Amino acid sequence: MDRKQHWEQVYSTKASDSVSWFQEHADQSLRLIHNTMLGKEAAIIDVGGGASRLVDDLVAEGYTDLTVIDLSAAALSVAQQRLGKCANSVHWLEGDITRTDFPARRFDIWHDRAVFHFLTDSADRHAYVERVMRAVRPGGHVIIATFAEDGPEKCSGLPVVRYQPESLHAEFGDAFQLVEHQKEAHHTPFGTVQQFVYCYCRKGNS
Ligand SMILES: C[S@@+](CC[C@H](N)C(=O)[O-])C[C@H]1O[C@@H](n2cnc3c(N)ncnc32)[C@H](O)[C@@H]1O
């Protein structure tokens, strides 16, 4: 089964609030987005957003330039149905983040929770970082959350790479400044705890 088939099956067979990564509100992500101090017209992309409710909260707060990309059409459909008419104000992209062509300097904020850690192949990580380099404007904001070094070894049955702030930042390189990092103990719907690390980086001005 390839990775798209895997995710289509997950979102076609499980309720979106019963998966291990479910959050009623993506509080840590929202805090970091607010901390950028950008206005509501900021161009924000949620990478591998799936059926996450982050987009609901950003729409409700009045953000006007939101993009959600995910491999799974089923995941995007869950989010669209939930948002109803508000879904029309969001750009939805179905695609693999390691293969999608983005316009240059399109986004002010790149957000990814629990997607980069699935890239166990260095060529995929390289392709991902190339896309961040191209699609995020100079001085833009990059928020990446992965399983921490003491987090689970698998997510959704797939192997992951676990990171410390320094090793996660190293994947992105010197073009990005690590501004802040934070651990989060995520409580899953079935009562277990998963350690995440959030890294907030600024892209250099060149
Ligand atoms: C663990 S879920 C996290 C979903 C969401 N970010 C959240 O925090 O609720 C991982 C998501 O990444 C998506 N995904 C996995 N690999 C991807 C890829 N290469 N390109 C785009 N999306 C991907 C999956 O379909 C799934 O929705």
Side-chain angles (χ1 to χ4, degrees):
M1 189 186 293
D2 71 16
R3 58 188 176 198
K4 177 170 171 62
Q5 286 172 331
H6 171 86
W7 290 106
E8 293 293 14
Q9 189 178 49
V10 167
Y11 286 105
S12 308
T13 55
K14 293 186 176 180
S16 62
D17 59 358
S18 71
V19 291
S20 59
W21 55 93
F22 173 72
Q23 294 176 297
E24 190 79 44
H25 297 283
D27 292 325
Q28 187 76 270
S29 301
L30 285 167
R31 184 185 69 77
L32 290 166
I33 290 170
H34 295 154
N35 279 0
T36 65
M37 305 296 282
L38 294 178
K40 296 294 196 280
E41 70 291 348
I44 304 176
I45 183 166
D46 189 15
V47 171
S52 165
R53 300 183 181 201
L54 174 63
V55 67
D56 304 44
D57 284 333
L58 293 173
V59 167
E61 290 181 16
Y63 286 90
T64 56
D65 189 350
L66 301 173
T67 301
V68 178
I69 180 170
D70 202 277
L71 257 185
S72 163
L76 296 178
S77 172
V78 170
Q80 289 161 351
Q81 302 285 323
R82 197 180 59 230
L83 276 159
K85 277 189 189 153
C86 291
N88 296 331
S89 66
V90 177
H91 308 281
W92 304 95
L93 298 175
E94 180 190 333
D96 186 324
I97 193 58
T98 63
R99 299 199 180 127
T100 302
D101 290 325
F102 293 105
R105 305 171 171 216
R106 167 73 180 88
F107 300 109
D108 296 298
I109 302 178
W110 177 286
H111 172 269
D112 165 344
R113 173 177 177 266
V115 186
F116 186 78
H117 66 195
F118 289 111
L119 303 180
T120 55
D121 180 334
S122 65
D124 281 340
R125 293 197 293 277
H126 186 70
Y128 181 109
V129 173
E130 269 183 356
R131 278 150 183 82
V132 184
M133 279 300 289
R134 176 176 168 78
V136 175
R137 72 162 172 80
H141 308 258
V142 179
I143 299 163
I144 310 271
T146 67
F147 281 168
E149 76 277 17
D150 52 350
E153 291 175 4
K154 288 190 171 187
C155 180
S156 188
L158 301 176
V160 299
V161 182
R162 298 178 296 174
Y163 291 96
Q164 299 179 344
E166 297 74 18
S167 58
L168 183 51
H169 175 242
E171 294 287 339
F172 288 77
D174 290 343
F176 298 86
Q177 182 199 352
L178 179 59
V179 179
E180 184 187 330
H181 58 83
Q182 190 118 39
K183 291 276 291 275
E184 179 188 58
H186 167 63
H187 294 258
T188 68
F190 23 90
T192 57
V193 177
Q194 299 178 331
Q195 298 296 334
F196 275 76
V197 61
Y198 285 69
C199 281
Y200 164 47
C201 298
R202 286 296 294 269
K203 191 178 168 208
N205 277 317
S206 53

